[in-house]
Amino acid sequence: MAFDLDMIKKVYDRYSSRIDAARKATGKPLTLTEKILYAHLSEGEAKAAFQRGVDYVDFAPDRVAMQDATAQMALLQFMQAGRPKVAVPSTVHCDHLIQAKIGATEDLNTAKDINSEVYDFLSSVSDKYGIGFWKPGAGIIHQVVLENYAFPGGMMIGTDSHTPNAGGLGMVAIGVGGADACDVMAGLPWELKFPKLLGVKLTGKLSGWSSAKDVILRVAGILTVKGGTGYIVEYFGEGARSLSATGKGTICNMGAEIGATTSIFGYDDKAAAYLRGTKRADIADMADAIAQHLTGDEEVYANPEQYFDQVIEINLSELEPHINGPFTPDLAWPLSKFATAVKENGWPTTLEVGLIGSCTNSSYEDITRAASLAKQAIDKNLKTKAEYTVTPGSELVRYTVERDGYLDTFEKIGGVILANACGPCIGQWSRHTDDPTRKNSIITSFNRNFAKRQDGNPNTHAFVASPEIVTALAIAGDLTFNPMTDTLTNQNGEQVKLDEPQGIELPVKGFAVEDAGYQAPAADGSGVQVIVDPKSSRLQLLEPFAAWEGTDLKDLRLLIKAKGKCTTDHISMAGPWLKFRGHLDNISNNMLIGAINYFNNNADSVKNEITGEYGPVPATQRDYKANGIGTVVVGDENYGEGSSREHAAMEPRHLGVRAILVKSFARIHETNLKKQGMLAITFADTADYDKVQEDDKIDILGLTEFAPGKQLTVVLHHADGSQDSFAVNHTYNAQQIEWFKAGGALNIIRKQQAA
């Protein structure tokens, strides 16, 4: 049975008129992306065309999804909004707080015990405000959304950067911070700069060792981690139609790694088959009735260069398997060149662990393709050389693959089945190692491989590949092994070769599950009590941030000048810190502890200008705050890339940082900063980054005349009495400037609800 059928029917009923209005307003054929965006304007039917990459537009998303780590802060904010119930269908998914340590059953029971306070809070707040609640063990948010909520032509936002996974079913699904989710749940429009359009034409058809994962690994290599910033990526062509719906989800999921706003595929036979296979035939029937609206116009795909801002073409028939990494998901290596790269770069050739699954690659198809290799290892008398773990994406998938015998196959080669949760992908992994600092290599079918992300060890070289390549290399225990060409020595001393993996898109006997893990909210939540213990170390009710004082900012100090890559993992680490995601003050003790200080090349070591001593970033900032001194964080390119976690914006705001000045921002993080009332500015000339000195006193001028498109001025007062002055840019529109003045968007929402 499908959820929210009435809502989906209303969306589909208005599609024809809204797309007609959009064609009239734009005067041209439309891409699928444009159809969905124009069909979801909060104002209704389009009256004028929007300029890509320039105009801020208000949208009305169909639904909101939140994972447990981000849901805590999102719902703590929503509790301040003054509404009795969410305005759109919304869900919470308990997937982030389960640590992978022993195995599925033990790890899940441990998580339920140690996180009971948080789970009870999320369950009760969901019950009260009409939110669907997916219990611990139900699965990873994106897989559960794909199986239950994603629908062609829809629009959703989610408090996780891999929300675009739903694009595999033709949905514009965008990762956001909790403040954005709060707005939509409160019934307010959701603002987004109208994105540019990047078309990826897929021709041919995958075969052999190549998989959908290799499409996005190749795209990441072409575009890099920031090449998709400001774009929605739309895949089309005969090759796109040949891919399974879950394969398309994998590609869209990892679009977050190129900075894309989201990624999407059109509705086709594969999408219809997946909807019917997951007991949503009623949605497939409705989609079939408006199928012409759920893909781009023929003229667009016939001449894509005329309608997209950028076009890439990939021939799937020629696509080679890829392995990306280490330390960044866009360092792409064709399999045929990877062994040479390993040797030339001195990366550890011994593979210690292979990990498959996660929200990116845990479909039935993924599991069966990997299991076909595990079965070969058994049949060909091969001993698996590396540790091997399997993370199912949902209880629906886990139950079905267990029924069909695939989990047993993995266990026979020594595989450990982990809980249906994020686990090692986000650092929730108690890794078995004799030296947690040793230089080593692992390979995963996950999406991110930043330093320290999986196991906290900066010397772990993490690589990303398809589940079948991960499985083959885990069997070999050697990064230089190429399963397409090389042989292995089995336990009888014989040379054997692995055959190409074989997979099944959808289970022949259909999906099955005893308890999917869903808890419906109370029909009337007015009597439900949400209790937060004021002594709790895990949860803390929020206090509103202070409004802007109405003056320019002067005599600020430099907290840190971050050098090189500074992701949200550097700004607000996950792993063991996840337990504090509902307690702003406690989690602020991880603020910027992963960032590298430009002046001493160390992490979590900055100069305290009050004492003259070096110390941890959070403690130093707390000292500044106690003494009434505002500070500035300076950063490099693509600052804040990675996850949607708004804690990376809320922690500096909470501890008294006044501005973030960088060469460029990642999209979600910049929006999160604006939502929290923080000043997010960029160097007009990136060379001015070099002028910032450790002992500077900093002024930010022009705020009393803060206006869209108008530059501000930064003045650096150096310790030797000299100074530098230069222009800085911002992307604030009129509404966002009001957020800044009010001290955050939530302060405005609260006033509106009270009026």
Side-chain angles (χ1 to χ4, degrees):
M1 186 199 80
F3 289 90
D4 308 311
L5 274 177
D6 289 343
M7 177 269 286
I8 296 171
K9 186 178 186 302
K10 289 177 182 177
V11 172
Y12 283 175
D13 284 347
R14 69 180 187 232
Y15 241 82
S16 183
S17 63
R18 291 207 172 186
I19 288 175
D20 286 345
R23 282 205 188 93
K24 183 178 179 180
T26 61
K28 67 177 186 65
L30 300 174
T31 64
L32 171 61
T33 301
E34 290 170 310
K35 289 181 180 181
I36 299 175
L37 293 178
Y38 278 106
H40 285 84
L41 298 177
S42 65
E43 66 181 24
E45 294 184 358
K47 299 177 179 63
F50 295 105
Q51 189 173 350
R52 300 174 191 166
V54 176
D55 293 334
Y56 282 91
V57 182
D58 285 341
F59 293 100
D62 301 314
R63 66 177 314 108
V64 173
M66 298 164 280
Q67 41 94 334
D68 51 355
T70 52
Q72 296 171 63
M73 197 57 68
L75 292 173
L76 285 165
Q77 292 177 85
F78 180 76
M79 289 170 65
Q80 295 188 25
R83 281 190 65 99
K85 189 174 182 178
V86 291
V88 301
S90 303
T91 52
V92 168
H93 304 260
C94 295
D95 61 0
H96 272 56
L97 301 179
I98 302 167
Q99 186 182 42
K101 189 173 185 179
I102 300 170
T105 302
E106 299 92 332
D107 295 343
L108 181 57
N109 288 336
T110 299
K112 288 178 178 178
D113 181 39
I114 65 175
N115 300 315
S116 59
E117 179 185 11
V118 171
Y119 293 148
D120 289 347
F121 166 73
L122 292 174
S123 175
S124 63
V125 77
S126 296
D127 209 26
K128 183 174 183 64
Y129 293 110
I131 299 168
F133 180 71
W134 290 81
K135 294 177 282 189
I140 307 173
I141 176 173
H142 313 302
Q143 183 71 20
V144 173
V145 165
L146 196 70
E147 293 167 357
N148 295 277
Y149 298 113
F151 67 96
M155 184 184 206
M156 67 172 285
I157 60 172
T159 61
D160 190 283
S161 56
H162 294 103
T163 300
N165 192 81
L169 273 181
M171 195 172 199
V172 164
I174 300 176
V176 300
D180 279 359
C182 180
D183 284 1
V184 175
M185 290 189 293
L188 299 179
W190 176 64
E191 182 187 72
L192 177 73
K193 183 182 286 187
F194 204 88
K196 295 181 180 180
L197 303 179
L198 196 160
V200 180
K201 182 178 182 179
L202 301 180
T203 61
K205 188 175 183 179
L206 293 170
S207 63
W209 285 88
S210 297
S211 72
K213 181 78 160 198
D214 300 305
V215 177
I216 187 58
L217 295 178
R218 173 71 179 125
V219 170
I222 294 170
L223 292 175
T224 77
V225 291
K226 59 179 292 187
T229 302
Y231 288 87
I232 288 183
V233 181
E234 183 172 325
Y235 292 84
F236 61 94
E238 59 174 329
R241 293 189 295 274
S242 73
L243 298 170
S244 68
T246 51
K248 292 169 185 170
T250 293
I251 293 169
C252 293
N253 179 296
M254 265 196 77
E257 272 49 77
I258 58 172
T261 301
T262 193
S263 302
I264 192 169
F265 284 80
Y267 180 66
D268 57 20
D269 291 344
K270 297 287 191 178
Y274 186 75
L275 286 169
R276 296 182 192 282
T278 49
K279 297 181 173 59
R280 291 177 286 170
D282 34 16
I283 296 177
D285 291 341
M286 287 193 290
D288 286 343
I290 62 163
Q292 74 274 21
H293 298 319
L294 302 178
T295 185
D297 289 337
E298 290 182 8
E299 300 94 325
V300 169
Y301 295 153
N303 299 285
E305 290 80 6
Q306 296 179 23
Y307 299 97
F308 291 96
D309 297 288
Q310 185 179 349
V311 178
I312 295 170
E313 185 169 337
I314 296 175
N315 186 339
L316 300 184
S317 300
E318 299 173 354
L319 182 65
E320 189 177 344
H322 276 61
I323 298 177
N324 286 22
F327 305 127
T328 185
D330 60 348
L331 186 59
W333 304 97
L335 183 59
S336 60
K337 298 180 180 179
F338 184 63
T340 300
V342 170
K343 295 171 185 175
E344 289 181 349
N345 288 283
W347 300 328
T349 58
T350 298
L351 181 65
E352 296 198 6
V353 194
L355 307 98
I356 70 165
S358 84
C359 68
T360 321
N361 279 103
S362 57
S363 67
Y364 190 87
E365 182 180 26
D366 289 326
I367 296 295
T368 57
R369 280 176 67 86
S372 75
L373 294 169
K375 181 68 163 56
Q376 289 185 56
I378 297 167
D379 294 344
K380 297 182 181 185
N381 206 18
L382 289 165
K383 180 178 175 60
T384 306
K385 300 291 182 61
E387 283 187 46
Y388 184 67
T389 71
V390 180
T391 303
S394 70
E395 178 59 13
L396 182 72
V397 167
R398 190 212 64 78
Y399 187 94
T400 305
V401 296
E402 181 181 46
R403 178 201 67 189
D404 294 347
Y406 297 113
L407 295 189
D408 181 61
T409 300
F410 290 131
E411 289 173 339
K412 284 179 179 176
I413 67 164
V416 176
I417 312 303
L418 300 176
N420 312 323
C422 300
C425 183
I426 60 166
Q428 283 284 58
W429 183 24
S430 180
R431 184 176 173 187
H432 308 136
T433 177
D434 57 354
D435 182 358
T437 63
R438 183 181 63 249
K439 188 177 179 181
N440 72 100
S441 292
I442 66 173
I443 189 166
T444 82
S445 69
F446 305 160
N447 42 45
R448 292 198 174 129
N449 58 341
F450 303 139
K452 300 191 286 186
R453 179 172 173 86
Q454 265 83 49
D455 62 2
N457 180 2
N459 296 312
T460 292
H461 293 58
F463 299 89
V464 179
S466 67
E468 44 269 50
I469 293 295
V470 171
T471 303
L473 266 62
I475 292 169
D478 185 348
L479 269 189
T480 64
F481 173 66
N482 182 343
M484 295 178 67
T485 59
D486 299 346
T487 60
L488 294 169
T489 305
N490 71 6
Q491 294 187 80
N492 297 331
E494 302 163 332
Q495 292 299 302
V496 295
K497 193 170 184 291
L498 294 174
D499 301 321
E500 294 174 351
Q502 302 293 320
I504 305 169
E505 285 186 21
L506 295 168
V508 175
K509 294 187 287 184
F511 284 105
V513 69
E514 287 184 348
D515 179 6
Y518 176 69
Q519 173 184 297
D524 179 5
S526 59
V528 177
Q529 295 295 313
V530 180
I531 300 173
V532 175
D533 185 346
K535 298 178 181 178
S536 172
S537 65
R538 300 287 302 271
L539 295 164
Q540 179 187 46
L541 294 176
L542 294 175
E543 294 292 333
F545 289 133
W548 172 57
E549 56 267 67
T551 64
D552 288 335
L553 303 179
K554 296 185 177 181
D555 290 325
L556 306 176
R557 295 291 187 154
L558 177 70
L559 175 60
I560 186 172
K561 181 177 177 179
K563 179 181 178 181
K565 188 183 284 284
C566 192
T567 72
T568 49
D569 278 333
H570 294 87
I571 304 167
S572 176
M573 288 184 178
W577 291 94
L578 283 172
K579 61 179 174 287
F580 297 125
R581 282 285 178 88
H583 198 293
L584 181 56
D585 193 57
N586 282 346
I587 199 169
S588 293
N589 289 322
N590 77 359
M591 185 189 73
L592 284 158
I593 63 175
I596 301 300
N597 183 357
Y598 177 92
F599 298 104
N600 60 12
N601 284 314
N602 291 326
D604 201 23
S605 175
V606 294
K607 187 176 181 181
N608 184 327
E609 292 298 328
I610 298 173
T611 66
E613 298 176 351
Y614 285 84
V617 182
T620 302
Q621 180 56 36
R622 287 186 187 276
D623 199 13
Y624 285 137
K625 182 179 181 180
N627 285 277
I629 299 171
T631 59
V632 176
V633 170
V634 173
D636 214 317
E637 297 282 5
N638 207 30
Y639 182 89
E641 74 170 275
S643 83
S644 68
R645 69 192 66 152
E646 65 188 322
H647 299 76
M650 295 184 78
E651 292 173 29
R653 183 79 169 96
H654 172 66
L655 292 184
V657 175
R658 299 305 304 271
I660 311 292
L661 170 60
V662 301
K663 293 181 180 178
S664 65
F665 284 105
R667 176 191 64 85
I668 299 177
H669 186 63
E670 182 179 24
T671 300
N672 285 346
L673 290 167
K674 292 177 179 180
K675 285 278 183 178
Q676 300 303 334
M678 179 71 84
L679 186 62
I681 50 182
T682 57
F683 293 99
D685 180 354
T686 56
D688 290 333
Y689 170 91
D690 298 324
K691 296 176 181 177
V692 178
Q693 298 178 20
E694 192 171 34
D695 299 327
D696 285 345
K697 291 184 178 179
I698 304 169
D699 299 338
I700 302 175
L701 310 178
L703 289 173
T704 55
E705 299 173 351
F706 199 4
K710 186 175 182 179
Q711 292 180 319
L712 301 173
T713 300
V714 166
V715 181
L716 305 176
H717 300 276
H718 303 309
D720 63 3
S722 65
Q723 68 179 45
D724 279 299
S725 178
F726 49 82
V728 293
N729 297 329
H730 68 85
T731 61
Y732 288 77
N733 61 24
Q735 176 177 270
Q736 293 167 347
I737 288 172
E738 293 306 310
W739 297 346
F740 171 76
K741 291 179 178 178
L746 188 58
N747 290 348
I748 294 177
I749 294 174
R750 190 184 304 105
K751 290 178 182 177
Q752 291 173 340
Q753 292 293 335

